Amino acid sequence: GAAAPADAAPAPEPIDVDADDASDGDDLDRFGPRTEVDLRLGDAYASGVVVLAPEHEAWWNADTKKRLADLERAVATHPALAVAPKEGAKLPRATVLGDDLEATVSFAAAPAPYLLLVADADAGAGGYRQLSHDGYRLTCVVRPRSSQ
């Protein structure tokens, strides 16, 4: 089939209610070699850094929202996040697998005092819910998942 024209509106993300969160701003539409980002992990969030090799930047930036949601899902299931950050920070780096990506994640303790507001259609008042910080800073070296 023919590719959609570049100016066509993207189809809405069916899985991530926060995908069109206006509070994200436009600064995260393009990721560079190291990009700071809040990783939403269920009912909490972690400070994150997405690290991309030069040859992977175009791949990531082709669909930033989808890649980020994929990364968040992959990281959220990692058992290290269930232990206290000061213990988790001692853990070796871990590789997590998403649908289209894999990431090597380094865990560090770095609590942030503020709450993150995310758009949530089910939240009722104001349409936002608050995520507290889980105490982690996660450095994620992300690459496309190998086809094997």
Side-chain angles (χ1 to χ4, degrees):
D7 55 358
E13 270 286 352
I15 41 169
D16 183 1
V17 295
D18 301 328
D20 53 359
D21 180 3
S23 69
D24 282 349
D26 295 323
D27 55 333
L28 289 182
D29 286 348
R30 291 202 59 77
F31 280 56
R34 291 179 64 86
T35 305
E36 303 264 345
V37 64
D38 293 319
L39 294 172
R40 291 173 286 220
L41 310 173
D43 295 323
Y45 78 99
S47 301
V49 180
V50 172
V51 180
L52 298 168
E55 64 269 24
H56 297 152
E57 286 183 37
W59 161 80
W60 176 282
N61 286 314
D63 199 342
T64 299
K65 295 276 192 209
K66 181 180 176 195
R67 304 270 184 259
L68 190 56
D70 196 15
L71 177 63
E72 287 173 336
R73 280 195 305 278
V75 170
T77 59
H78 195 277
L81 297 175
V83 302
K86 66 177 188 294
E87 296 302 315
K90 300 173 189 169
L91 294 171
R93 288 180 301 196
T95 298
V96 298
L97 294 177
D99 295 334
D100 302 312
L101 58 81
E102 57 183 58
T104 303
V105 181
S106 304
F107 302 93
Y114 58 90
L115 295 170
L116 186 67
L117 277 182
V118 296
D120 186 348
D122 303 323
Y128 283 88
R129 61 190 165 101
Q130 295 181 334
L131 301 184
S132 57
H133 197 274
D134 70 356
Y136 275 101
R137 177 179 174 83
L138 306 176
T139 301
C140 306
V141 181
V142 182
R143 57 202 166 271
R145 193 165 175 177
S146 55
S147 50
Q148 284 83 20

